[in-house]
Short mmCIF file of all heavy atoms in Angstrom, two decimals:
data_model
loop_
_atom_site.label_atom_id
_atom_site.label_comp_id
_atom_site.label_asym_id
_atom_site.label_seq_id
_atom_site.Cartn_x
_atom_site.Cartn_y
_atom_site.Cartn_z
N ALA M 1 37.39 57.57 44.35
CA ALA M 1 38.44 57.52 43.33
C ALA M 1 38.91 56.08 43.09
O ALA M 1 39.09 55.66 41.94
CB ALA M 1 39.60 58.40 43.73
N GLU M 2 39.12 55.33 44.17
CA GLU M 2 39.57 53.95 44.03
C GLU M 2 38.54 53.09 43.31
O GLU M 2 38.87 52.32 42.41
CB GLU M 2 39.89 53.36 45.40
CG GLU M 2 41.12 53.92 46.05
CD GLU M 2 42.39 53.52 45.32
OE1 GLU M 2 42.48 52.39 44.84
OE2 GLU M 2 43.28 54.40 45.23
N GLU M 3 37.27 53.23 43.71
CA GLU M 3 36.22 52.45 43.08
C GLU M 3 36.04 52.84 41.61
O GLU M 3 35.78 51.98 40.76
CB GLU M 3 34.90 52.64 43.83
CG GLU M 3 34.90 52.12 45.24
CD GLU M 3 34.68 50.62 45.32
OE1 GLU M 3 34.09 50.04 44.39
OE2 GLU M 3 35.10 50.04 46.34
N SER M 4 36.21 54.11 41.31
CA SER M 4 36.10 54.58 39.92
C SER M 4 37.24 54.02 39.08
O SER M 4 37.05 53.67 37.91
CB SER M 4 36.12 56.10 39.85
OG SER M 4 35.03 56.63 40.54
N LYS M 5 38.42 53.93 39.68
CA LYS M 5 39.56 53.36 38.98
C LYS M 5 39.30 51.88 38.64
O LYS M 5 39.59 51.44 37.53
CB LYS M 5 40.81 53.50 39.84
CG LYS M 5 42.08 53.01 39.17
CD LYS M 5 43.30 53.34 40.00
CE LYS M 5 43.44 52.41 41.15
NZ LYS M 5 44.70 52.54 41.89
N VAL M 6 38.73 51.16 39.58
CA VAL M 6 38.40 49.75 39.35
C VAL M 6 37.36 49.62 38.25
O VAL M 6 37.47 48.77 37.36
CB VAL M 6 37.91 49.08 40.66
CG1 VAL M 6 37.32 47.72 40.40
CG2 VAL M 6 39.05 49.00 41.66
N LYS M 7 36.34 50.50 38.28
CA LYS M 7 35.28 50.47 37.27
C LYS M 7 35.86 50.74 35.88
O LYS M 7 35.51 50.08 34.91
CB LYS M 7 34.21 51.50 37.62
CG LYS M 7 33.07 51.58 36.68
CD LYS M 7 32.09 50.47 36.92
CE LYS M 7 30.83 50.71 36.13
NZ LYS M 7 29.98 49.55 36.11
N ALA M 8 36.76 51.72 35.78
CA ALA M 8 37.39 52.03 34.50
C ALA M 8 38.23 50.85 34.02
O ALA M 8 38.23 50.53 32.83
CB ALA M 8 38.24 53.28 34.63
N PHE M 9 38.94 50.20 34.92
CA PHE M 9 39.76 49.04 34.57
C PHE M 9 38.89 47.89 34.06
O PHE M 9 39.25 47.21 33.11
CB PHE M 9 40.59 48.60 35.77
CG PHE M 9 41.51 47.45 35.48
CD1 PHE M 9 42.67 47.66 34.76
CD2 PHE M 9 41.21 46.17 35.92
CE1 PHE M 9 43.53 46.59 34.49
CE2 PHE M 9 42.05 45.11 35.65
CZ PHE M 9 43.22 45.32 34.94
N GLU M 10 37.73 47.69 34.71
CA GLU M 10 36.81 46.63 34.27
C GLU M 10 36.31 46.87 32.85
O GLU M 10 36.10 45.92 32.10
CB GLU M 10 35.61 46.55 35.22
CG GLU M 10 35.93 45.96 36.56
CD GLU M 10 34.75 46.05 37.52
OE1 GLU M 10 33.72 46.66 37.17
OE2 GLU M 10 34.88 45.51 38.64
N GLU M 11 36.13 48.14 32.50
CA GLU M 11 35.66 48.48 31.15
C GLU M 11 36.81 48.68 30.18
O GLU M 11 36.60 49.16 29.07
CB GLU M 11 34.79 49.73 31.22
CG GLU M 11 33.51 49.53 31.99
CD GLU M 11 32.64 50.77 32.02
OE1 GLU M 11 32.97 51.77 31.34
OE2 GLU M 11 31.62 50.74 32.73
N LYS M 12 38.01 48.32 30.60
CA LYS M 12 39.22 48.43 29.78
C LYS M 12 39.44 49.84 29.26
O LYS M 12 39.80 50.06 28.11
CB LYS M 12 39.16 47.43 28.63
CG LYS M 12 39.17 45.99 29.09
CD LYS M 12 39.14 45.04 27.93
CE LYS M 12 39.37 43.64 28.37
NZ LYS M 12 38.28 42.90 28.83
N SER M 13 39.23 50.79 30.14
CA SER M 13 39.44 52.20 29.81
C SER M 13 40.74 52.67 30.47
O SER M 13 41.02 52.32 31.62
CB SER M 13 38.26 53.03 30.32
OG SER M 13 38.49 54.40 30.07
N ALA M 14 41.50 53.46 29.73
CA ALA M 14 42.77 53.95 30.27
C ALA M 14 42.58 55.12 31.22
O ALA M 14 43.44 55.39 32.05
CB ALA M 14 43.69 54.37 29.13
N THR M 15 41.45 55.82 31.09
CA THR M 15 41.20 56.98 31.95
C THR M 15 39.88 56.81 32.69
O THR M 15 38.98 56.13 32.21
CB THR M 15 41.15 58.28 31.13
OG1 THR M 15 40.12 58.16 30.15
CG2 THR M 15 42.46 58.56 30.44
N ILE M 16 39.81 57.46 33.83
CA ILE M 16 38.56 57.48 34.59
C ILE M 16 37.68 58.58 34.00
O ILE M 16 38.09 59.73 33.94
CB ILE M 16 38.82 57.76 36.08
CG1 ILE M 16 39.69 56.67 36.68
CG2 ILE M 16 37.51 57.87 36.85
CD1 ILE M 16 40.16 56.96 38.08
N LYS M 17 36.51 58.19 33.55
CA LYS M 17 35.60 59.15 32.92
C LYS M 17 34.43 59.44 33.86
O LYS M 17 34.25 58.79 34.88
CB LYS M 17 35.11 58.60 31.59
CG LYS M 17 36.26 58.40 30.62
CD LYS M 17 35.81 57.88 29.30
CE LYS M 17 37.04 57.70 28.41
NZ LYS M 17 36.76 56.94 27.23
N VAL M 18 33.64 60.43 33.47
CA VAL M 18 32.53 60.89 34.31
C VAL M 18 31.55 59.76 34.59
O VAL M 18 31.08 59.60 35.72
CB VAL M 18 31.81 62.09 33.63
CG1 VAL M 18 30.58 62.48 34.41
CG2 VAL M 18 32.75 63.25 33.49
N HIS M 19 31.25 58.95 33.57
CA HIS M 19 30.26 57.88 33.80
C HIS M 19 30.76 56.82 34.77
O HIS M 19 29.97 56.17 35.44
CB HIS M 19 29.79 57.28 32.46
CG HIS M 19 30.83 56.51 31.72
ND1 HIS M 19 31.72 57.11 30.86
CD2 HIS M 19 31.11 55.20 31.72
CE1 HIS M 19 32.51 56.19 30.35
NE2 HIS M 19 32.16 55.02 30.85
N HIS M 20 32.08 56.64 34.87
CA HIS M 20 32.61 55.71 35.87
C HIS M 20 32.34 56.23 37.28
O HIS M 20 31.88 55.49 38.16
CB HIS M 20 34.12 55.52 35.69
CG HIS M 20 34.51 54.91 34.38
ND1 HIS M 20 35.49 55.46 33.59
CD2 HIS M 20 34.04 53.83 33.72
CE1 HIS M 20 35.62 54.73 32.51
NE2 HIS M 20 34.75 53.73 32.55
N VAL M 21 32.61 57.52 37.48
CA VAL M 21 32.41 58.13 38.80
C VAL M 21 30.93 58.12 39.17
O VAL M 21 30.56 57.81 40.30
CB VAL M 21 32.99 59.56 38.84
CG1 VAL M 21 32.72 60.21 40.18
CG2 VAL M 21 34.48 59.54 38.54
N ARG M 22 30.08 58.47 38.21
CA ARG M 22 28.63 58.49 38.50
C ARG M 22 28.11 57.11 38.85
O ARG M 22 27.29 56.97 39.77
CB ARG M 22 27.88 59.06 37.30
CG ARG M 22 28.01 60.54 37.18
CD ARG M 22 27.09 61.09 36.13
NE ARG M 22 27.28 62.52 36.04
CZ ARG M 22 27.18 63.20 34.92
NH1 ARG M 22 26.88 62.60 33.80
NH2 ARG M 22 27.37 64.51 34.91
N ALA M 23 28.54 56.09 38.12
CA ALA M 23 28.08 54.73 38.40
C ALA M 23 28.50 54.29 39.80
O ALA M 23 27.71 53.71 40.55
CB ALA M 23 28.63 53.77 37.35
N VAL M 24 29.72 54.59 40.16
CA VAL M 24 30.23 54.21 41.48
C VAL M 24 29.52 55.02 42.57
O VAL M 24 29.17 54.47 43.62
CB VAL M 24 31.76 54.40 41.54
CG1 VAL M 24 32.27 54.24 42.96
CG2 VAL M 24 32.44 53.41 40.62
#
């Protein structure tokens, strides 16, 4: 969850999406 949050922030996304979780 923490890594997905960072990934979403890097992509300037307000929400954590499925592709963020899968990438992490």
